[in-house]
Amino acid sequence: MKKQAFLSVLLAAAFSLPAICATWYVSPDGKKKNDGQSPATPLKAIWDAVDKASPGDKILVSAGNYTGKAACGFIQITKPLEIYGGYSADFKTRDIAKNKTSIRPAMEMNATPPQGGTVEFNINNAPNSITVFDGFILDHSEVNAYHATEGKPAGVETGMWLAPPTKGNYQYPSLNKYLVYGNTDGNLTISNCLFLNSSNYALNLNHFSGAVNVKNNVFISSRMMACNVSCRNAKPFAAKLNFEYNTVLFTWSRTKDLGDMGYGVRALNKVDANISHNILGLSIMSGFDNSMNNRKGEGKVTLDENMFFLNKKGDVSYTVSPSVKYLKVDSAAFEDFEDVDGIESSEDNVALKDPAIFKGIIDQAYLEAFLSASYTETTDYDPNSPVNQFRSALGMNTQGTIKSKVTMYANKYPFSDNIMKFFGAVKGYGAQSF
């Protein structure tokens, strides 16, 4: 009996030990038949490593561009994993700026579009899990269709972004999906990534419980919004967003009339949010939107120590029913923002004082065109024209034409070595050096 009791104790102790997590290696020079278990035998595809890995495993990815299964343009992550890009070919060093690791689908991949995003997380029923996605360039530059001439300012690479089904001279219409989309659970960290030319929100997550940590990323030229995190749990505030040390620039509107959307980051009703130490600039509407966070008497959002600049309508937006109001961070009225529904704290936010810090980093032609971007309409309607007199006599509606013109709309922001210099451009604000 004593021997059996001793064996029972040993077995119980063995099962209580944490599982040993494996490390998987991925390289453009790898092979599908490799075991992926060492730097010498890497797999060729991220999706293959995800498929083979167990929850809690790590995946290390060396420099190169990666696509999905059967050359589809999206990658699905269906279990909690830690995935890190930026490794050298031999996996001996990690340098995210030097060893660029990208998920940049090509236009022909629009024939098999993702359901939600180019990177899709589907992680459910995992409240205590840890998921990390770190060190990647996510880019929609090649899956967007752009007009050849309309909305093309001098010095800018393309014309305006084309909304589907219009495709211009391209093989397919614009993808119009998120760069990252997910139904997630547990603790999720997305860090040290570059989000470029997103054809929809750059990051859109429906989180069940735990924290979403979006830290030290650069978002450039996102359509509608850089970051949106909602709670899909019936229990309010089961999800929390920590949006810290991110650089968000050039956030465009939903449509070419520049009339709605165009926010850097948004706070939502059921999500606690900490928005701090970010650079939030050059949005069509505002850098931070609180208009969907109308929690009367419940302060759940902190907006502290952020840097704002050149957001067209205002640095922050909020609702005073039935209207949306806008404030600049350097206005005398900004101190009242702490009294807005849902805001717990709004302290030490600043306006950019020295634009020269972006000299040699930000694309000058793109910036100049954005600052003067405008939309106009002209109407050609003559009720006395022969056509309209004839239509009127027959009881038909009279007709006219409306011509619209935009000087710039969600044009492609160029990828160059300078773009990685946004990391560390401003000490203490926005994405910092690796």
Side-chain angles (χ1 to χ4, degrees):
M1 293 294 293
K2 291 182 178 179
K3 184 176 181 181
Q4 287 181 333
F6 179 69
L7 288 173
S8 296
V9 171
L10 285 178
L11 287 171
F15 282 114
S16 68
L17 291 173
I20 298 175
C21 298
T23 299
W24 302 82
Y25 299 84
V26 178
S27 167
D29 299 323
K31 297 180 180 179
K32 184 177 179 63
K33 67 180 181 180
N34 284 350
D35 61 18
Q37 296 282 281
S38 74
T41 58
L43 295 165
K44 190 176 182 63
I46 295 174
W47 68 264
D48 210 4
V50 170
D51 188 50
K52 293 177 184 295
S54 298
D57 285 358
K58 291 183 179 181
I59 298 174
L60 311 185
V61 187
S62 70
N65 188 48
Y66 295 87
T67 58
K69 191 173 185 178
C72 291
F74 57 92
I75 294 172
Q76 295 177 322
I77 300 168
T78 56
K79 61 195 76 167
L81 300 166
E82 297 184 33
I83 307 176
Y84 299 93
Y87 281 89
S88 59
D90 58 7
F91 294 94
K92 291 182 178 179
T93 61
R94 186 173 188 238
D95 186 326
I96 294 169
K98 180 180 179 181
N99 303 319
K100 296 179 179 64
T101 310
S102 63
I103 300 172
R104 181 184 288 128
M107 173 57 74
E108 58 267 22
M109 296 175 183
N110 284 7
T112 53
Q115 181 177 356
T118 293
V119 173
E120 292 187 352
F121 290 92
N122 287 292
I123 300 169
N124 299 294
N125 302 315
N128 298 312
S129 63
I130 295 175
T131 302
V132 177
F133 189 77
D134 184 296
F136 289 87
I137 296 169
L138 300 110
D139 185 5
H140 273 170
S141 295
E142 302 307 315
V143 291
N144 288 331
Y146 299 97
H147 199 282
T149 57
E150 186 178 349
K152 187 179 186 304
V156 175
E157 182 179 346
T158 70
M160 69 174 190
W161 182 85
L162 293 174
T166 305
K167 63 179 182 179
N169 298 327
Y170 292 79
Q171 183 180 4
Y172 296 102
S174 297
L175 181 62
N176 200 11
K177 300 288 184 178
Y178 310 106
L179 273 171
V180 172
Y181 176 79
N183 294 296
T184 51
D185 196 11
N187 293 294
L188 169 64
T189 297
I190 296 175
S191 51
N192 300 315
C193 291
L194 168 65
F195 295 83
L196 184 62
N197 293 320
S198 179
S199 53
N200 208 302
Y201 301 179
L203 174 59
N204 189 25
L205 296 173
N206 308 298
H207 201 62
F208 191 79
S209 67
V212 175
N213 304 301
V214 182
K215 186 172 182 178
N216 216 67
N217 303 284
V218 172
F219 298 81
I220 302 289
S221 189
S222 305
R223 185 170 156 264
M224 292 194 278
M225 200 180 308
C227 179
N228 186 73
V229 175
S230 62
C231 179
R232 59 190 177 97
N233 195 325
K235 182 181 178 182
F237 318 128
K240 180 173 182 177
L241 168 63
N242 293 310
F243 192 82
E244 303 174 289
Y245 291 97
N246 300 287
T247 297
V248 181
L249 302 174
F250 301 114
T251 307
W252 292 93
S253 54
R254 182 177 60 87
T255 55
K256 74 172 186 177
D257 61 6
L258 311 179
D260 68 348
M261 299 295 288
Y263 305 114
V265 59
R266 167 177 273 175
L268 294 176
N269 265 347
K270 293 168 59 179
V271 180
D272 289 340
N274 167 38
I275 316 295
S276 67
H277 295 92
N278 303 287
I279 295 174
L280 302 171
L282 299 165
S283 295
I284 287 292
M285 289 296 175
S286 65
F288 169 71
D289 177 49
N290 197 64
S291 65
M292 304 296 288
N293 172 34
N294 302 317
R295 291 176 279 182
K296 295 185 182 298
E298 294 185 71
K300 296 291 183 179
V301 173
T302 59
L303 181 75
D304 297 329
E305 298 184 82
N306 300 283
M307 177 178 286
F308 295 88
F309 73 104
L310 296 178
N311 296 294
K312 291 210 168 188
K313 294 280 285 189
D315 293 326
V316 301
S317 50
Y318 61 101
T319 301
V320 178
S321 184
S323 302
V324 176
K325 301 293 185 181
Y326 296 88
L327 280 175
K328 291 286 188 180
V329 70
D330 55 355
S331 70
F334 190 79
E335 63 182 18
D336 296 329
F337 187 65
E338 219 169 76
D339 298 328
V340 170
D341 291 336
I343 298 297
E344 184 175 47
S345 173
S346 180
E347 298 181 354
D348 300 320
N349 296 288
V350 300
L352 175 67
K353 300 301 182 185
D354 181 15
I357 57 178
F358 291 114
K359 187 175 181 180
I361 300 176
I362 203 165
D363 186 86
Q364 197 74 17
Y366 198 96
L367 173 63
E368 289 179 5
F370 180 89
L371 293 177
S372 59
S374 63
Y375 173 82
T376 56
E377 289 184 356
T378 57
T379 302
D380 183 6
Y381 173 66
D382 182 2
N384 298 315
S385 69
V387 171
N388 279 335
Q389 287 182 347
F390 185 80
R391 295 176 67 89
S392 181
L394 296 179
M396 301 170 66
N397 292 329
T398 56
Q399 292 183 336
T401 60
I402 297 177
K403 294 182 179 179
S404 63
K405 181 180 180 181
V406 66
T407 61
M408 185 185 194
Y409 170 59
N411 304 53
K412 181 194 293 186
Y413 188 92
F415 182 87
S416 68
D417 287 339
N418 281 348
I419 206 167
M420 301 306 288
K421 295 179 182 178
F422 280 112
F423 291 93
V426 184
K427 186 176 181 180
Y429 295 97
Q432 300 297 291
S433 300
F434 307 115

